[in-house]
Each structure stands twice: as structure tokens, then as C-alpha cells.
Amino acid sequence: MKYIIFLAGVAAVFLLAFLVSNDRKKIKYKPILVMLGLQLILTYFLLNTGVGLIIIKGISKLFEKLLSYAAAGVEFVFGGLANEAAMPFFLNVLLPIVFISVLIGIAQHFRILPFIIKWIGFALSKVNGLGRLESYNAVASAVFGQSEVFISVKKLLGHLPKHRLYTLCTSAMSTVSASILGAYMAMIDPKYVVTALVLNLFGGFIIANIINPYEVTEDDDIIEIEEEKQTFFEMLGEYIMDGFKVAVIVGAMLLGFVALIALINDVFDMVFGITFQTMLGYVFAPVAFLVGIPWAEAVSAGTIMATKLVSNEFVAMIDLAKYAKDMSDRTVGIVSVFLVSFANFSSIGIITGAVKGLHEEQGNTVARFGLKLLYGATLVSILSAAIAGLFL
């Protein structure tokens, strides 16, 4: 039964992508099947083999250590501020983003990250049927984040046609930035974070190949990466402030979204006798079922999945912690994989604003296909969850 549901889920995702395809005749099926095969192999390797478990534990231990270093800085600045019995979310989960951001800055400054991104992108371009720029952007998005990644290719933005810009934006929304991985791992099992990263990378290419197929000529496949020359300490200051801005922005969004959802839930409960999130749960229940979640848990899982879409992944992860005790481990794993991406309504504004700040006309182009962008990125999350469900 699990295999039948998996096939139905993947077929549904492909059909939904096919229905909105820009040019169905140009869809390249071979790269799609190759990447789907790679997703299956890598997911099995990460979740069901001893070596995969060792890799995930190693990554988890690394981030645990990094977060302990970050905690030393947080303790120095904010020690004694929080109640001892409480877990202060901003201090324990968000502020460590500052330290992770600094490490990314150091790796960027000493040319370690550009080298890794360039060659991983080059390797991916051989299997995904897309250009080197698209491949670079997907890997860079997973490091820098959905808005910062566009700065590195800002010289090219004005010359990109609409279809290539869509693929770049889909990659950015489908992934998550390395600076907040530690925050995710403090909220959900690290093995699902790592698995989702791998799945979303290939999933973004698969969905883009269906929704937005095109050919890139050798002459057009040029990468010009913008790099700002800075001293080491200028870089440190910039990445420290960038990390702090991200932490504050996420904190502010959480404050606003959690409060707003609480208000809407109460209004819906008074008027309709059902909370807004529960109503969304019923809407998303079929999606939850198609990714392998038992029907008995589909409404609860659908509620969390829908919450991520209308607010953000942090709000949904907080809700998952509340529901987890009443869910099976398999359901928690599938939902966790679904949550690890930036696919939500607020990301449309974030990406549009980032591109608009670098090139106003292209920013307007992104705004026009914003809903289609979210549609594609959400299909990536559903595909990732369905594949995870096959091996859990």
C-alpha cells in the first residue's frame, strides 16, 4: 500500500506541474527520471543505511558543537535574562544564527565556499538538463539564502529572460539557507533537515523542468559572480550584522504570525465552531495522505503543512512540537521534511524585494509570477515529503 500511495503522490505532483507548464513539448523527461532516481537512492542511503546514519549523526554533532559555541556568546550578552525553567526561543534558537552566519562569511572570504559551490553546480548541470547558472544558483541558495543569493549574480539579472529568472527564484524558494540550519535542528530531528536539503535541491530542478522547460545555449550559459572585496574584519562585521538581522526578522515574523493566527483561530471558532488552522487541515488532508501519512493523522498533519504555507516554517515547526506526541514517528518525519523550505506566501515578497532592490524591472517580473513561483516551490516540498514517506 505504501508503494501505491507513493506512486499516486508522485504522479499527482507531476500532473499538477504539467498542467501549468509553459511549454509541454520541451519537457526533458530523461533528466527528470535521472534526478528522481538520485532522490530515491540518496534518501534510502541517508535514512536506511549505517553509513548514511553516521553521516547524519556527524552533521548533527557538528551543529550541536557550533550551537554550543554560539550559546557561549548568547550567555555572555544575555545571561540571567531568561527564566531558568523556560526555553527562550529567541535566545536558544534564533540568536545562534549570528554565529553560523559568521562561519559562512569566513568560508566565503577564504574562497572555500565559492570553490565548493562552483564545482557542485558544474556537476549538477550535467544531470539536471539546465544551465550552469541555474545549477550554481541552486547550490548557492542553500548556502546564502533566498534573498542574499541574488546579490552574487546581480550583474546578470538585467540580462536574464523571464523563464531563466523563474527557475532561479524557484531554487531559492525551495531551499533553506545554511545560516538557519542550526535553528531547524534545534526544533526537529537533524536527519530530516539533511534529507530535505538533498531532496529539495533535486526537486527544484525536477519541478522547474516540468513547469518551465527551456534550452540554454553555450553562449547564454555564462556565470558572472559578483564578489565584493573586503578586509577580513569588514567581512566579519557585515556577516555578524547580517546574521543578527535575520534573527530579528524571523523573530518579528514569528511574533506577528503566531499572534495573527491566534486571533484568526478565535474568530473562526466563534463564527464557525472550528479554528482556521483546523479548517486548513481538512483542506490539506488529501495532500498529507498522498505523501504517505495515514488518513487518521492526515488532518493534524495537513494543519501543520498548511500553517507553513500561510505563515512560515518556524511557526509550523512550533506547532509540530505540540502535535508530535499524538503522531506516529513516520508522520512526524514526513511532515518535518515538508517543512524544511522557504515555500510560503511571505517568501514571494522577500524574493521580489531582493530582486527589485538589485534590478527594479526584473523585480516587477518576479512579482507577476509570484503565485506560480510559490505553486512550484510547494510542489517541490510535496515531492520531497512523498519520497521521504517511502523510506520511513
Side-chain angles (χ1 to χ4, degrees):
M1 186 65 180
K2 180 167 75 170
Y3 297 101
I4 294 172
I5 292 173
F6 165 73
L7 291 173
V10 172
V13 169
F14 283 6
L15 177 61
L16 289 169
F18 186 79
L19 289 174
V20 298
S21 178
N22 295 338
D23 192 341
R24 292 165 191 165
K25 291 179 181 178
K26 286 186 179 178
I27 295 174
K28 297 178 233 176
Y29 294 100
K30 183 180 177 181
I32 290 170
L33 293 174
V34 169
M35 287 186 288
L36 181 61
L38 283 172
Q39 283 184 307
L40 293 170
I41 292 167
L42 290 169
T43 305
Y44 176 79
F45 175 75
L46 288 171
L47 295 179
N48 295 91
T49 68
V51 178
L53 188 62
I54 290 170
I55 291 172
I56 286 176
K57 280 187 175 178
I59 295 171
S60 175
K61 291 289 184 186
L62 172 64
F63 272 93
E64 278 180 25
K65 197 66 179 173
L66 293 179
L67 291 175
S68 72
Y69 293 140
V74 174
E75 174 66 25
F76 181 81
V77 177
F78 293 101
L81 182 66
N83 294 327
E84 230 172 275
M87 178 193 171
F89 185 87
F90 183 74
L91 302 187
N92 289 7
V93 177
L94 297 185
L95 279 187
I97 291 172
V98 179
F99 179 62
I100 305 296
S101 178
V102 170
L103 295 182
I104 291 171
I106 293 170
Q108 173 76 0
H109 185 78
F110 288 110
R111 313 290 303 131
I112 299 168
L113 275 184
F115 178 82
I116 294 170
I117 291 169
K118 177 183 175 182
W119 288 107
I120 292 179
F122 176 77
L124 284 173
S125 69
K126 299 300 180 183
V127 297
N128 61 23
L130 298 167
R132 287 184 296 152
L133 175 61
E134 286 84 350
S135 300
Y136 160 84
N137 187 81
V139 181
S141 295
V143 176
F144 301 128
Q146 64 179 337
S147 54
E148 294 86 348
V149 68
F150 292 104
I151 297 172
S152 68
V153 293
K154 65 182 178 182
K155 281 187 177 179
L156 294 173
L157 281 178
H159 307 288
L160 290 175
K162 178 182 176 181
H163 54 271
R164 295 193 77 185
L165 186 61
Y166 177 87
T167 298
L168 263 59
C169 292
T170 299
S171 293
M173 192 182 282
S174 300
T175 55
V176 292
S177 61
S179 63
I180 60 174
L181 289 184
Y184 291 156
M185 289 180 182
M187 302 176 73
I188 60 177
D189 194 320
K191 70 180 179 182
Y192 300 130
V193 178
V194 176
T195 302
L197 285 176
V198 174
L199 287 172
N200 290 345
L201 182 65
F202 288 103
F205 293 138
I206 289 171
I207 298 302
N209 259 316
I210 300 173
I211 291 180
N212 188 42
Y214 56 87
E215 295 285 345
V216 179
T217 66
E218 193 67 34
D219 292 338
D220 291 333
D221 198 17
I222 300 168
I223 303 178
E224 288 184 40
I225 301 168
E226 184 78 4
E227 293 176 7
E228 188 179 349
K229 291 185 178 179
Q230 293 176 303
T231 67
F232 180 77
F233 290 102
E234 282 177 330
M235 174 279 299
L236 278 183
E238 179 183 323
Y239 276 84
I240 288 169
M241 290 309 298
D242 284 348
F244 187 72
K245 285 175 192 174
V246 171
V248 171
I249 289 168
V250 172
M253 289 179 71
L254 281 174
L255 192 156
F257 273 119
V258 171
L260 184 61
I261 288 174
L263 169 65
I264 295 172
N265 277 338
D266 272 358
V267 171
F268 266 71
D269 199 20
M270 286 187 291
V271 176
F272 304 109
I274 184 174
T275 66
F276 175 66
Q277 283 179 287
T278 302
M279 183 195 73
L280 289 177
Y282 284 108
V283 173
F284 253 72
V287 176
F289 181 74
L290 278 175
V291 298
I293 292 169
W295 186 251
E297 299 176 291
V299 174
S300 298
T303 298
I304 298 166
M305 294 164 77
T307 298
K308 180 237 184 172
L309 182 65
V310 299
S311 56
N312 62 46
E313 70 279 9
F314 280 104
V315 178
M317 286 177 189
I318 292 170
D319 280 355
L320 177 60
K322 298 174 186 173
Y323 283 91
K325 62 181 181 296
D326 299 318
M327 291 179 172
S328 65
D329 291 342
R330 183 167 178 269
T331 295
V332 170
I334 294 171
V335 174
S336 296
V337 169
F338 178 86
L339 297 184
V340 182
S341 86
F342 289 139
N344 58 64
F345 280 100
S346 60
S347 286
I348 298 175
I350 292 170
I351 291 178
T352 301
V355 176
K356 200 177 182 80
L358 298 168
H359 193 286
E360 186 164 353
E361 187 179 334
Q362 292 289 58
N364 293 333
T365 301
V366 174
R368 283 193 287 272
F369 62 56
L371 287 176
K372 192 173 184 179
L373 174 61
L374 177 59
Y375 181 84
T378 302
L379 289 180
V380 173
S381 293
I382 294 171
L383 179 61
S384 295
I387 293 171
L390 183 63
F391 296 104
L392 290 174

